[in-house]
Amino acid sequence: MEHKIMMVTGANSGMGLATTIALARQGAKVVMVCRSEERGQSALREAIASSGSGEIELMQCDLGSLRSIRSFAADFKSRYDHLDVLINNAGVVSLKRETTSDGFEVMMGVNHLGHFLLTNLLLGPLKRAEQGRIVVVSSGAHKIGKIRWEDPHLTKGYTAWTGYAQSKLANILFTKELAVRLKGTAVTVNALHPGAVGTQIGVDRNTGFGKSVLAMLRPFFLTPAQGAETAVYLATSGNVSCATGEYFYRKKIAPVSARAKDKELAAKFWDWSAGEVGLQPSETE
């Protein structure tokens, strides 16, 4: 993994931090993508101490802001000519309906649309790598998800579970369609279910709501390091160098829902996503 440049979104805690540490221990140069400078700096210190690596860099990006994502991608491309691995790990769960700065329902906005734009903006560097890899952290929750075309940002009848499941289905539809579009290149893209991991994803950062429930259930969860194992495997293993457009669980290809296998749905959803973020063809070069 030496001299490989790898990027992890949502790297300041949980699986993102565990993934960063695991990759750095293998000798990779890791770019930690974090929304908060303060939390990012704290995580950076922890990652360096835990991995013993000096090849870890913090870069700030808010995946809930299209403007921030475009600024971040331009900054990254001014520093690096290629990117070997992009791990789209960041995710949110919102108990009440919230929106991003661009007006998207926050789970659709961060879990899917933010990563959709970021990935497309970094396709140039990924294609310039010897073998670029894109790893998308999804969830088994995708199996009950559906794209609510009549109201994709859930302005009516919002529930956290409905929004989360929709965003996780979105991750897999994105993976499937991107694999089709990357055919003939050296870039692969795969999604994964990390298992039930005890992270802060469902805890309200402002009020702390959810911490007591998390503490009670933690003994039944995987640790962040255990949850990160499949993402690290997809980023580094030679066994999956030719795998693309797949969904993994416990380092093995796993079945997906009928909706997640729908090629027409994936193509239609790609076009919708591109329209939402205002993606221009020139931006993917």
Side-chain angles (χ1 to χ4, degrees):
M1 292 298 108
E2 288 186 10
H3 310 300
K4 298 280 189 182
I5 302 171
M6 303 192 178
M7 180 184 294
V8 182
T9 68
N12 64 282
S13 65
M15 285 193 303
L17 179 55
T19 300
T20 296
I21 292 168
L23 296 175
R25 283 175 176 166
Q26 293 191 39
K29 161 82 177 185
V30 185
V31 177
M32 300 175 69
V33 182
C34 303
R35 181 172 67 95
S36 165
E37 175 73 19
E38 181 181 356
R39 287 193 292 269
Q41 289 292 347
S42 176
L44 176 62
R45 290 191 293 271
E46 183 177 345
I48 292 171
S50 296
S51 67
S53 171
E55 290 295 299
I56 308 176
E57 177 184 2
L58 173 67
M59 292 184 70
Q60 197 171 359
C61 178
D62 180 359
L63 285 162
S65 164
L66 301 180
R67 183 176 181 178
S68 177
I69 295 166
R70 286 188 163 91
S71 175
F72 166 83
D75 187 15
F76 176 83
K77 288 189 278 191
S78 72
R79 301 189 200 188
Y80 300 98
D81 65 348
H82 75 282
L83 176 62
D84 294 282
V85 177
L86 168 62
I87 301 181
N88 289 334
N89 163 82
V92 297
V93 174
S94 183
L95 298 179
K96 62 180 181 179
R97 187 180 184 277
E98 297 181 44
T99 57
T100 68
S101 60
D102 301 289
F104 305 142
E105 185 277 313
V106 72
M107 288 185 281
M108 177 65 86
V110 173
N111 298 354
H112 169 61
L113 290 171
H115 283 116
F116 175 89
L117 178 60
L118 177 67
T119 303
N120 274 286
L121 296 179
L122 295 177
L123 285 180
L126 284 159
K127 289 176 181 177
R128 287 191 287 275
E130 184 177 347
Q131 197 229 333
R133 298 188 186 190
I134 302 164
V135 179
V136 180
V137 178
S138 182
S139 167
H142 85 271
K143 293 181 179 180
I144 65 163
K146 63 177 292 187
I147 305 302
R148 299 179 180 273
W149 293 111
E150 73 287 354
D151 187 23
H153 292 296
L154 307 179
T155 61
K156 300 174 183 177
Y158 175 88
T159 70
W161 194 235
T162 297
Y164 185 70
Q166 176 179 243
S167 74
K168 295 293 104 177
L169 172 60
N171 290 155
I172 300 179
L173 293 173
F174 169 55
T175 298
K176 296 284 188 183
E177 179 63 16
L178 183 55
V180 171
R181 290 169 179 259
L182 289 173
K183 190 174 182 179
T185 74
V187 182
T188 63
V189 53
N190 292 288
L192 68 102
H193 170 41
V197 183
T199 71
Q200 298 291 318
I201 189 171
V203 177
D204 189 302
R205 288 176 176 170
N206 298 315
T207 66
F209 181 79
K211 280 188 177 181
S212 59
V213 175
L214 176 62
M216 181 176 66
L217 295 177
R218 194 179 297 279
F220 304 99
F221 286 145
L222 299 174
T223 66
Q226 291 170 326
E229 287 178 358
T230 299
V232 173
Y233 174 75
L234 290 174
T236 62
S237 176
N239 294 335
V240 290
S241 59
C242 296
T244 193
E246 301 290 356
Y247 171 75
F248 284 77
Y249 176 50
R250 294 183 176 176
K251 304 180 184 178
K252 294 181 180 179
I253 294 174
V256 297
S257 70
R259 289 190 183 100
K261 290 187 286 190
D262 188 328
K263 295 179 180 180
E264 291 185 6
L265 176 61
K268 179 181 178 182
F269 188 62
W270 179 285
D271 290 341
W272 176 83
S273 302
E276 290 293 282
V277 302
L279 183 67
Q280 302 300 314
S282 60
E283 292 184 298
T284 64
E285 299 171 356

